[in-house]
Amino acid sequence: MAKWLGMSKAHSDSESVVDTPAEPMGLSAADVVHSPWPDLYKALREHAQSEWVVRSQRHADINSDERLAVTRLQIRATSHVLDTQLQQWFAESDVPHLIQWMARGPLKTAAIERWVVLDTLSSLDVLPLPQAEGQPVSPYDIAATASKSETGGYEFVAETRWVPKPAGADNAQTLPPLELQIHDALGERRIHVMQTLVVLGAEKTLKAPDGQKIRLIDQSPVPWQGETAWFVALAAQHVSGMHLVLRLHEHGVDCLDAGSTNGSYVNGKRLNPGNWHEVKHLETVFLGGPESDPRSHTACVQLRVGHQAVAWVTDKTPLRTAASENMPPKLVLQPLEASGMAIVPVHALPFTIGREADCDWVIPARFEMVSRQHLVIEAVDTALQQVKLRDLSRQGLTESREGWRGSAAQGVWVSCADTITLGKSSRHPGLSFGFSGLFPTQTN
């Protein structure tokens, strides 16, 4: 079990080859807490988010250049059942590997990593059950900076101090871009990732612990362990609902098997559920079986780290600001001559097209089949000379001269030489336009 938790000294994270154990009792797929100690797992995460993160955020109002660093941690269970489990957990490995398990599992979220420094944590102790009521309990003498709280049946006592903020702790602009090249039953397609947390899996409906249903829909947000991730659906019969998690950070990309039924494989080796694995550029992850698996529809995802496709800014209405209007256009939309409309410069992304007054390109009312918010340009790929479009119209009245793979409502890449038509029907020709000014022309 110590090896499965990633606490064994004999194997590194990337070398662990294990079978997926049974799903913990009392947890749904929405929790994705794949650990034989689910109560401790959730209690550690809740304590870190409610105590350490909040303290660090409040301190940032006074000194934004400092973060909370945890140097010492003691854990005490508040019931005999949890105490037995806690003592067993502590006895299975030494302190460094237990701390490593916490850093790779419950304490590995974007919020905790941004606001709390865990590299300083070197002391970890498990305390016996509290004494009889009325007798004072003193876990140990600690400095005034210590924090103490009870979460999920456990009591935590932490010794902390303030340290300089790590470089790049909250600089999202330093994150390397990522492109997913997916091979599944639908064929081959590429998805440019604009989020820092992505969940790969099969489209289905899951039931949360509170009874609410969570629908997993391709290219939509989904809750994951207290965070909001972006869900990407795969078409393969051996892929679980929430199968693989990708986290983008300033040093690259990490992946985590989220307790899937059939496992995830890299270089022929099964990933250890609950442990993060660093993904290298052009490395391929197989979901639902190894590469040599004879079963049909085994999906695989190649991660292209450091891809050139990036969005320019995140302003929803970039052309409404004078600063953006003064910038030279990086993309020009060229309506066909039949429309009688002038060219439309695109200064920044995302760029919305429709009849609504708040759209970046407001389409005249005579194009009545064009929706109020019909189409959005999300990103560009200068290397492959492509533009990413998402169809927002209810009727889906968007056509491409060259066609595209997949659903336009979920985002598709089209060639810069393509012609797009909005609001076309049997009675209306629609509005057609092409792209120009995006890619430099080559000269002899």
Side-chain angles (χ1 to χ4, degrees):
M1 186 173 291
K3 295 180 179 179
W4 178 73
L5 280 173
M7 297 183 293
S8 173
K9 298 179 181 179
H11 298 283
S12 64
D13 183 25
S14 60
E15 295 175 344
S16 299
V17 183
V18 297
D19 293 330
T20 306
E23 192 72 24
M25 296 297 294
L27 294 175
S28 70
D31 285 314
V32 200
V33 179
H34 201 86
S35 167
W37 321 107
D39 298 314
L40 178 60
Y41 191 107
K42 297 181 68 174
L44 279 166
R45 171 162 292 180
E46 291 175 3
H47 175 79
Q49 292 176 335
S50 62
E51 296 291 332
W52 301 342
V53 171
V54 172
R55 284 186 59 198
S56 187
Q57 289 174 336
R58 291 176 178 174
H59 183 77
D61 295 335
I62 304 174
N63 188 342
S64 60
D65 294 329
E66 290 185 342
R67 292 291 183 265
L68 184 73
V70 181
T71 59
R72 185 179 185 185
L73 178 64
Q74 288 197 337
I75 309 173
R76 184 202 304 272
T78 57
S79 69
H80 289 284
V81 174
L82 294 180
D83 179 65
T84 301
Q85 297 177 358
L86 186 62
Q87 297 294 341
Q88 182 181 356
W89 171 76
F90 191 73
E92 289 204 350
S93 187
D94 54 23
V95 169
H97 287 84
L98 293 177
I99 294 176
Q100 185 182 58
W101 172 79
M102 292 190 297
R104 289 179 173 180
L107 303 183
K108 190 173 183 62
T109 72
I112 297 175
E113 291 181 329
R114 175 181 177 182
W115 292 101
V116 182
V117 178
L118 298 172
D119 295 341
T120 55
L121 178 58
S122 57
S123 178
L124 174 66
D125 297 295
V126 169
L127 302 177
L129 280 171
Q131 302 178 23
E133 186 176 355
Q135 298 184 14
V137 177
S138 178
Y140 56 83
D141 294 328
I142 56 178
T145 57
S147 64
K148 175 180 177 180
S149 70
E150 183 177 332
T151 304
Y154 292 92
E155 183 182 85
F156 299 95
V157 181
E159 183 175 355
T160 61
R161 58 187 174 91
W162 300 108
V163 299
K165 178 179 66 176
D170 53 2
N171 186 7
Q173 299 301 325
T174 63
L175 297 180
L178 172 66
E179 184 184 67
L180 308 179
Q181 186 169 345
I182 299 175
H183 298 262
D184 57 7
L186 297 179
E188 178 182 343
R189 63 189 186 277
R190 294 185 177 184
I191 297 178
H192 176 54
V193 175
M194 304 295 292
Q195 295 76 24
T196 59
L197 188 64
V198 180
V199 175
L200 302 176
E203 286 189 323
K204 60 176 58 179
T205 300
L206 302 178
K207 188 175 182 181
D210 57 3
Q212 295 183 355
K213 293 184 178 180
I214 301 176
R215 293 186 61 192
L216 301 179
I217 304 175
D218 187 34
Q219 299 295 309
S220 64
V222 61
W224 187 81
Q225 295 191 354
E227 300 182 78
T228 299
W230 192 252
F231 184 76
V232 177
L234 302 180
Q237 61 186 25
H238 301 298
V239 173
S240 301
M242 289 187 174
H243 195 113
L244 187 74
V245 182
L246 302 176
R247 184 181 296 281
L248 185 64
H249 52 83
E250 62 270 16
H251 302 299
V253 180
D254 292 339
C255 71
L256 170 75
D257 185 280
S260 63
T261 302
N262 296 291
S264 304
Y265 295 80
V266 178
N267 297 325
K269 297 182 179 180
R270 189 167 186 167
L271 295 182
N272 191 355
N275 282 356
W276 290 88
H277 169 82
E278 182 180 357
V279 183
K280 301 177 182 178
H281 178 56
L282 298 181
E283 196 165 42
T284 301
V285 183
F286 288 84
L287 290 76
E291 182 178 6
S292 58
D293 197 324
R295 295 178 301 182
S296 61
H297 302 320
T298 297
C300 68
V301 179
Q302 184 184 69
L303 289 84
R304 305 170 66 90
V305 184
H307 194 65
Q308 297 180 6
V310 294
W312 296 317
V313 297
T314 58
D315 191 350
K316 292 296 183 182
T317 55
L319 297 184
R320 302 290 184 242
T321 61
S324 296
E325 291 177 353
N326 293 331
M327 296 174 55
K330 298 182 179 180
L331 172 64
V332 174
L333 306 182
Q334 179 71 56
L336 297 187
E337 296 180 0
S339 66
M341 302 174 63
I343 63 173
V344 180
V346 177
H347 295 276
L349 299 179
F351 187 88
T352 307
I353 304 172
R355 292 190 295 110
E356 187 71 38
D358 291 337
C359 292
D360 299 305
W361 181 14
V362 181
I363 305 301
R366 70 176 186 269
F367 297 96
E368 58 186 54
M369 296 304 294
V370 174
S371 302
R372 294 181 179 273
Q373 290 189 347
H374 196 109
L375 189 72
V376 60
I377 302 175
E378 295 185 330
V380 297
D381 188 330
T382 56
L384 298 178
Q385 299 190 7
Q386 294 179 336
V387 180
K388 186 178 182 181
L389 307 177
R390 185 185 298 274
D391 190 358
L392 305 178
S393 63
R394 293 185 179 180
Q395 296 82 8
L397 300 176
T398 304
E399 293 185 359
S400 165
R401 182 187 62 192
E402 298 185 4
W404 50 56
R405 287 187 177 181
S407 171
Q410 298 173 353
V412 291
W413 288 92
V414 301
S415 169
C416 66
D418 204 349
T419 298
I420 307 301
T421 302
L422 309 180
K424 183 178 180 180
S425 67
S426 59
R427 299 178 55 186
H428 300 273
L431 171 64
S432 299
F433 66 90
F435 306 97
S436 63
L438 172 61
F439 305 100
T441 58
Q442 296 181 355
T443 58
N444 295 330

